Amino acid sequence: MNNPLDGIDSTAKPLSEQIALQLRGMIFDQHRFQPGDRLPDERSLAIEMGVSRTSLREAIKILVAGGVLVIRRGVGTFVSETPGKVEDPFGFAYAEDKKQLLSDWYQCRLIIESEAMELVAKNAADEELEGLEELARRQGDMISAAHKGNPDGYSFMELDREFHSALAQATHSAVMGRVLPALHEWVYFGAAIGEYPRLSRQMEENARKSHLSIARFLKMRDGKGANLAMRYHMLQALEDVERP
Amino acid sequence: MNNPLDGIDSTAKPLSEQIALQLRGMIFDQHRFQPGDRLPDERSLAIEMGVSRTSLREAIKILVAGGVLVIRRGVGTFVSETPGKVEDPFGFAYAEDKKQLLSDWYQCRLIIESEAMELVAKNAADEELEGLEELARRQGDMISAAHKGNPDGYSFMELDREFHSALAQATHSAVMGRVLPALHEWVYFGAAIGEYPRLSRQMEENARKSHLSIARFLKMRDGKGANLAMRYHMLQALEDVERP
């Protein structure tokens, strides 16, 4: 049997976690169970997997805690409609000092997104790079219009997220394309920024200029230039939130 | 009222999402509801928040999907015991090409962890840096012992994760300290590496030498040196998995 989990070093893991790993494989690798599907009844599944019902029950609890399975009492155990998707993947909600968290967030983005620009310069298609420049120009126009008192349907946070997400996708990295949007989706960012209302105009001007500059370096496939432009963009945001 | 969510730019969001954001604030910022607590009944909560029961119900669904709330039919709505914690925060399980995912994973770690070393060199306490060197030495001895046929209680994956997690904590960044462990916890890493059994010895030797070298640069507070040592460490792993 060609089970990708066979080779895993799981000797140190309790039995229930090993069974959870197998079940996970049936869902995510073998696609035997789809989102919303009901699992076979506990007895048959335990027999099929060659494990005790007690261990299987423990494994199911692990996957319920992880958001992969859902138990509907009296009905059965189902694969979640959105397996593994969560609200606050990094547990930022548990950080004590939210002001520090905001600085650390920009610092972390400075590190990751600057270097990621070299992946974009190397991997993106020509059309993607033209699309990025077009997006930066259109969004810059929206910011200018908003500052001239014409904020129709304008949400800076959405617009900012849209540009950075387009960059994340343009890395053509399955990992960057998932990790960066997870960082950008951070709902507490909105709450934290909301505590600095005086900043919004500064940040919008910063985005207007920097996004266009980043897009232009990328269009010339100048990864080092785009890296520096992103670094400058994040450093400005970082200094804005850290200024007393 | 000093509600940190007041300033958030939520004009573009549907009402149910705005209510979800408020409920989230009651849980994570105001700590009015703790993990495991039951929410007040729908009717009183809707009246208190000045919203319709229909909108409140929609908001609750959003937070259930996000793993923050749990509905126990006939009993009530509860704050999850592990609000927001998930199995596969990045949705790696949905990536089609797992071999590519593994390369992208090392590439992404190369970018993030190398640069993070300069944060460690800047922020870590002296004792932490000594602890890191001690950890790298002890783990190196365990790898050598395992290669001499003495693998007692030895799990390389656990040991590798322990060293990289200690580095993540030593950044003293609330964001790095959460994002890096989330990357390391990736269960599919184990499954993917399991497909390359010929690699394990190479990777263990790589870890044995590189971890010690990284720890030594850090002990001298040489962030650039530690950055380069980490880059070399990840590049070796990347070349190992990419070699046909």
Side-chain angles (χ1 to χ4, degrees), chain A residues 17-221:
Chain A
E17 283 188 34
Q18 296 183 38
I19 300 169
L21 214 57
Q22 276 181 50
L23 271 172
R24 215 184 269 130
M26 290 180 182
I27 297 166
F28 292 126
D29 295 317
Q30 300 157 29
H31 304 287
R32 178 168 156 201
F33 307 117
Q34 306 287 331
D37 278 4
R38 189 166 86 165
L39 294 192
D41 69 281
E42 222 172 74
R43 199 171 149 270
S44 350
L45 193 57
I47 290 171
E48 184 198 322
M49 297 177 73
V51 302
S52 74
R53 287 179 70 173
T54 319
S55 306
L56 177 61
R57 216 169 291 140
E58 281 306 307
I60 288 174
K61 271 190 203 160
I62 291 172
L63 295 177
V64 166
V68 173
L69 295 178
V70 177
I71 296 173
R72 296 197 194 120
R73 221 162 286 282
V75 190
T77 303
F78 294 78
V79 178
S80 159
E81 292 289 348
T82 53
K85 190 174 180 300
V86 261
E87 188 66 14
D88 180 16
F90 302 115
F92 287 144
Y94 297 98
E96 285 297 313
D97 185 343
K98 293 287 193 286
K99 190 174 183 307
Q100 185 60 45
L101 188 64
L102 186 65
S103 298
D104 287 349
W105 187 68
Y106 276 118
Q107 176 65 54
C108 184
R109 289 184 62 194
L110 186 154
I111 286 176
I112 305 177
E113 297 195 46
S114 309
E115 299 282 312
M117 290 309 96
E118 312 204 16
L119 290 180
V120 177
K122 206 176 78 184
N123 298 337
D126 286 344
E127 309 83 69
E128 279 179 295
L129 297 183
E130 273 156 35
L132 276 166
E133 197 192 17
E134 175 55 30
L135 186 62
R137 197 163 31 221
R138 191 156 39 80
Q139 293 183 335
D141 290 347
M142 285 172 74
I143 293 171
S144 299
H147 288 181
K148 281 175 191 136
N150 184 14
D152 272 354
Y154 176 79
S155 163
F156 174 68
M157 272 171 56
E158 281 310 315
L159 179 151
D160 187 60
R161 189 144 62 183
E162 190 187 2
F163 184 73
H164 284 276
S165 292
L167 286 177
Q169 296 317 314
T171 59
H172 288 218
S173 156
V175 175
M176 280 294 178
R178 285 171 163 84
V179 172
L180 288 177
L183 261 176
H184 301 153
E185 285 296 338
W186 178 37
V187 293
Y188 286 86
F189 164 68
I193 286 290
E195 293 181 41
Y196 302 85
R198 67 179 169 82
L199 287 185
S200 65
R201 198 181 176 110
Q202 260 163 273
M203 288 194 156
E204 295 185 6
E205 273 304 311
N206 170 4
R208 191 177 67 81
K209 290 179 189 155
S210 300
H211 289 185
L212 197 55
S213 157
I214 291 163
R216 281 181 178 156
F217 277 116
L218 288 172
K219 207 181 157 197
M220 295 183 291
R221 302 253 174 214

Side-chain angles (χ1 to χ4, degrees), chain B residues 117-129:
Chain B
M117 290 310 95
E118 312 206 15
L119 290 181
V120 177
K122 207 175 77 184
N123 298 337
D126 287 342
E127 309 82 70
E128 280 180 294
L129 298 184

